[in-house]
Amino acid sequence: MQTIKKRVADAILSGVDSINPDHGLTAAEVAGLLEYPPDSNMGDLAFPCFRLSKVLRRSPVQIAQTLAGIVKDRAIGATSAVNGYLNFTVSNEYLESDVVPEILQKGEDYGKQTFGKGKKVVLDYSSPNVAKPFHIGHLGTTVIGHSIRKLHEFAGYDCFGINYLGDWGTQFGKLILAFRLWSNREEVEEGGIDKLVSLYVRINNEIKGDPEQGIAPRDDLADAARAEFHKLETGDEENLALWRWFVDISLKEYEKTYKQLGITFDSYLGESFYTDKMPAQIEKLRQMGLLKIDDGASIVDLSDYNMPPCLILKRDGSTLYPTRDIAAAVYRKENYHFDKAVYVTSAQQSLHFAQWFKVVELMGYPWYNELVHVPYGTVSLGGEKLATRTGNVVLLRDLFERAIEKVREIRREKGQIAENDDEIAEAVGVGAIVFYYLSNNRMKDINFTMDEALNFDGNTGPYVQYTYARACSVLAKAGGNDGKTIRITCEEEAALVKTLCRFGERVCNAIDDYEPSIVTRFILDVAAAFNRFYHNCPIHTADDPAVRASRLNLTAAAKTVLGNAFDLICLRRTEKV
Ligand code: ARG
């Protein structure tokens, strides 16, 4: 797809060529210099001529003036030179004959890129810790991770999504013990993950005790839990069966949330899978002389790289989180042959990733620079109090439920009823949370406010989903669009199409920065431009049948671009509301 920037860049370059062919600039560099002026009165695109000044040995002002007279293209409407900038407007002809026809013709494929073709990306995201609650903190890794996956797919990459379940560790010893002490099969079958979580919370509390209340810590329980985990590690059949059962129960629960988000994974190979893959890497580290013994533990010293040491083995010889990640990365490289491995976790784990990435490099694996960590900020919850089973964490499931319920209320108040009310409430409720979350730059710490997320008149999920539904209903009422007649007759129409044609570029930016919020902001731009067009330009009642037909095509184009963009950020398309 040719973006407007590339097209204008080509035209500028031939202009510059005619002044002095020895300028050494490429079309991509020129495109990179092009800016969208903040005020559209200054044009749709601006080219700063300062960098050319040296090679062309003229002032930027002179260059802009000369170029204004010679840069020509069908996509360019008017040019003007202002203070060393060459300003362009995009021609209506280009919008009519290139942009809209391309959108209508490509449909679902509009905006797709090809630069990922033939390359493989594995993405490690969501990855909850089994039998611990799947809480609001997991929203980030889940929806940012999935959006990054969708974006890469859209660019042609072959993507492989891994849910690296935290399905191994001492917590299973605790859970097995707690289950035997205080529960039974029926209760857990009945209570599902909630029951597991409450057992887990109880055993942790008892182990800790509460000295202030005069309740002594229970070291005996801690020892017994360790013993159960040891049995699990050494293949005790009964414990293994319980463990498998606990993992299954947890997965079933997560699946409900994934289904609401439209997320699927290609692999659920969790931490447990890598248990027998670690010794080979530990041995390699030892042979390479990278392991140091520090107070009985085995570490890789990273002081040369200004980082604390990476812990490989505890004093008792047990492995650690980094050990497993190193083994998993080697396995993934050998089995999935990735060109890039992306890990999405909270920024609190940034040091962990920096450390083990460095260890992989020191181990001489040539693919160390194909590992990418994508961090994000923290989430807290303001305003609204959510009831939780487990005290201070908010479960993702409860957050979604609450949002869905609120959407139902709002719709009831507005008198909106549809046959598929439940479906709409779920799409809009879940969508509100996802959109609100992804509206911010991922590194920003977010304070979650339900009312803000659900404000139908704000820059929210409900607002853009209703905009999408509006476009659908305009088309349904007219019995569709002809796909042919396109005439730009007013400023609102031009502004809408100019917004739409930036989609491909936004997709590229979002991939470069691993930043789904670029897509979210683009969706808001499209929604604003479409609503302005919708309110100011009569569609069904347009006098001229050609104008009516054209406006229906513009509506279809807006619907297509919105829908394609929704898919990239886990936002469901709402045909009807
Ligand atoms: N299970 C971990 C957690 O909840 C996240 C795993 C991230 N992925 C990884 N390869 N370390 O904190």
Side-chain angles (χ1 to χ4, degrees):
M1 189 184 63
Q2 207 188 22
T3 67
I4 180 69
K5 276 192 178 170
K6 278 201 202 114
R7 177 130 185 181
V8 172
D10 285 340
I12 294 175
L13 209 59
S14 32
V16 180
D17 274 342
S18 67
I19 303 176
N20 176 0
D22 286 334
H23 49 75
L25 275 181
T26 66
E29 281 167 334
V30 175
L33 289 172
L34 279 167
E35 297 166 12
Y36 295 112
D39 174 3
S40 62
N41 288 329
M42 293 158 69
D44 300 315
L45 279 169
F47 179 67
C49 298
F50 308 95
R51 254 189 64 182
L52 284 175
S53 182
K54 215 163 155 195
V55 249
L56 298 183
R57 291 204 207 92
R58 299 185 202 189
S59 76
V61 173
Q62 276 176 321
I63 296 170
Q65 273 161 359
T66 314
L67 286 176
I70 54 176
V71 174
K72 296 249 168 337
D73 186 81
R74 196 156 59 90
I76 298 172
T79 43
S80 62
V82 183
N83 302 333
Y85 278 89
L86 182 58
N87 294 343
F88 300 93
T89 60
V90 174
S91 72
N92 284 350
E93 194 194 343
Y94 174 71
L95 302 177
E96 290 165 345
S97 338
D98 293 64
V99 180
V100 184
E102 188 187 347
I103 298 172
L104 296 177
Q105 194 207 333
K106 290 193 172 158
E108 302 275 309
D109 290 335
Y110 182 74
K112 277 193 181 164
Q113 309 292 313
T114 51
F115 59 83
K117 284 247 157 68
K119 290 191 204 125
K120 177 132 182 193
V121 186
V122 305
L123 302 105
D124 176 318
Y125 62 100
S126 199
S127 310
N129 294 328
V130 168
K132 288 188 189 165
F134 193 34
H135 58 80
I136 189 170
H138 291 101
L139 184 62
T141 170
T142 306
V143 299
I144 294 173
H146 198 65
S147 297
I148 291 177
R149 177 202 176 125
K150 290 298 238 182
L151 280 160
H152 278 79
E153 272 172 357
F154 208 58
Y157 286 94
D158 176 12
C159 293
F160 192 80
I162 302 175
N163 194 334
Y164 182 62
L165 290 176
D167 61 359
W168 202 244
T170 47
Q171 74 263 33
F172 287 98
K174 290 181 183 169
L175 202 58
I176 289 169
L177 179 67
F179 169 76
R180 292 222 175 95
L181 286 175
W182 303 311
S183 192
N184 54 57
R185 275 206 99 81
E186 293 73 47
E187 249 182 40
V188 170
E189 243 144 40
E190 169 85 30
I193 195 165
D194 292 346
K195 184 71 206 167
L196 294 183
V197 170
S198 74
L199 285 172
Y200 186 67
V201 170
R202 176 166 172 192
I203 190 143
N204 274 321
N205 286 341
E206 301 222 358
I207 288 176
K208 258 196 288 164
D210 192 346
E212 273 179 27
Q213 304 282 320
I215 304 171
R218 296 277 308 267
D219 293 341
D220 58 322
L221 287 183
D223 291 341
R226 252 189 299 271
E228 292 299 350
F229 182 60
H230 183 72
K231 272 165 72 185
L232 182 64
E233 272 187 308
T234 46
D236 177 83
E237 271 312 322
E238 253 177 67
N239 278 11
L240 271 173
L242 277 180
W243 166 74
R244 261 184 229 115
W245 185 45
F246 295 155
V247 173
D248 277 351
I249 290 172
S250 310
L251 265 182
K252 270 199 202 102
E253 179 67 28
Y254 305 148
E255 286 296 346
K256 288 185 207 156
T257 304
Y258 293 141
K259 198 160 162 247
Q260 287 181 309
L261 288 165
I263 293 182
T264 53
F265 293 92
D266 300 294
S267 160
Y268 280 94
L269 288 184
E271 297 192 24
S272 64
F273 178 76
Y274 297 98
T275 308
D276 63 358
K277 318 265 179 302
M278 285 182 282
Q281 300 312 313
I282 296 167
E283 194 41 42
K284 182 171 160 78
L285 281 164
R286 194 168 280 134
Q287 277 178 10
M288 293 181 79
L290 288 164
L291 279 193
K292 271 198 186 150
I293 307 297
D294 183 57
D295 197 19
S298 303
I299 61 159
V300 177
D301 179 20
L302 297 176
S303 54
D304 284 351
Y305 312 97
N306 288 322
M307 283 188 275
C310 183
L311 301 173
I312 301 295
L313 291 172
K314 281 197 228 165
R315 210 140 44 129
D316 64 6
S318 57
T319 54
L320 286 132
Y321 189 41
T323 329
R324 227 174 287 275
D325 257 325
I326 293 167
V330 173
Y331 177 87
R332 289 172 189 175
K333 182 66 190 180
E334 283 171 1
N335 289 274
Y336 310 139
H337 313 286
F338 58 74
D339 294 282
K340 188 157 85 164
V342 177
Y343 298 82
V344 185
T345 78
S346 87
Q348 283 145 358
Q349 297 196 26
S350 292
L351 177 63
H352 161 73
F353 282 94
Q355 286 175 309
W356 77 258
F357 286 2
K358 182 51 88 179
V359 174
V360 167
E361 179 183 349
L362 295 173
M363 289 171 88
Y365 288 115
W367 41 268
Y368 72 91
N369 55 2
E370 293 165 6
L371 305 171
V372 182
H373 178 229
V374 178
Y376 58 86
T378 60
V379 192
S380 59
L381 200 76
E384 194 83 8
K385 277 232 156 52
L386 286 163
T388 72
R389 260 157 290 270
T390 50
N392 55 1
V393 286
V394 174
L395 304 188
L396 210 45
R397 182 189 53 188
D398 292 346
L399 189 68
F400 285 173
E401 249 344 290
R402 187 82 191 90
I404 294 167
E405 198 36 58
K406 278 230 162 184
V407 169
R408 280 212 186 88
E409 272 169 37
I410 295 171
R411 285 172 56 78
R412 237 177 272 131
E413 278 166 24
K414 289 184 180 242
Q416 295 172 333
I417 316 158
E419 312 148 23
N420 54 341
D421 247 356
D422 286 342
E423 211 182 296
I424 295 172
E426 186 180 85
V428 177
V430 172
I433 306 259
V434 169
F435 195 88
Y436 181 75
Y437 184 78
L438 292 180
S439 300
N440 294 291
N441 189 303
R442 66 177 154 77
M443 281 309 283
K444 203 177 146 205
D445 294 331
I446 294 170
N447 181 23
F448 213 96
T449 325
M450 194 68 103
D451 285 341
E452 241 175 72
L454 285 170
N455 180 356
F456 279 46
D457 304 315
N459 283 334
T460 60
Y463 160 71
V464 299
Q465 283 177 314
Y466 272 61
T467 302
Y468 182 79
R470 171 173 289 156
C472 292
S473 90
V474 167
L475 291 166
K477 187 171 163 193
N481 60 307
D482 72 7
K484 291 197 286 274
T485 323
I486 299 139
R487 256 188 232 172
I488 303 291
T489 62
C490 61
E491 191 272 322
E492 287 87 347
E493 294 167 331
L496 172 62
V497 182
K498 284 175 195 171
T499 308
L500 297 179
C501 82
R502 292 187 192 174
F503 183 40
E505 192 187 332
R506 289 290 185 261
V507 167
C508 295
N509 299 153
I511 294 173
D512 285 348
D513 296 352
Y514 299 95
E515 189 58 85
S517 67
I518 293 176
V519 178
T520 317
R521 281 198 296 273
F522 172 74
I523 290 173
L524 287 172
D525 289 346
V526 174
F530 176 74
N531 283 319
R532 205 154 68 82
F533 156 76
Y534 174 82
H535 289 298
N536 297 329
C537 312
I539 303 176
H540 301 296
T541 55
D543 293 335
D544 183 343
V547 171
R548 179 176 179 275
S550 168
R551 289 183 179 163
L552 287 170
N553 283 324
L554 295 185
T555 303
K559 178 196 145 183
T560 297
V561 175
L562 277 177
N564 292 0
F566 282 12
D567 291 351
L568 297 175
I569 55 158
C570 313
L571 195 64
R572 255 186 265 170
R573 301 178 184 206
T574 39
E575 309 269 331
K576 273 194 189 147
V577 286

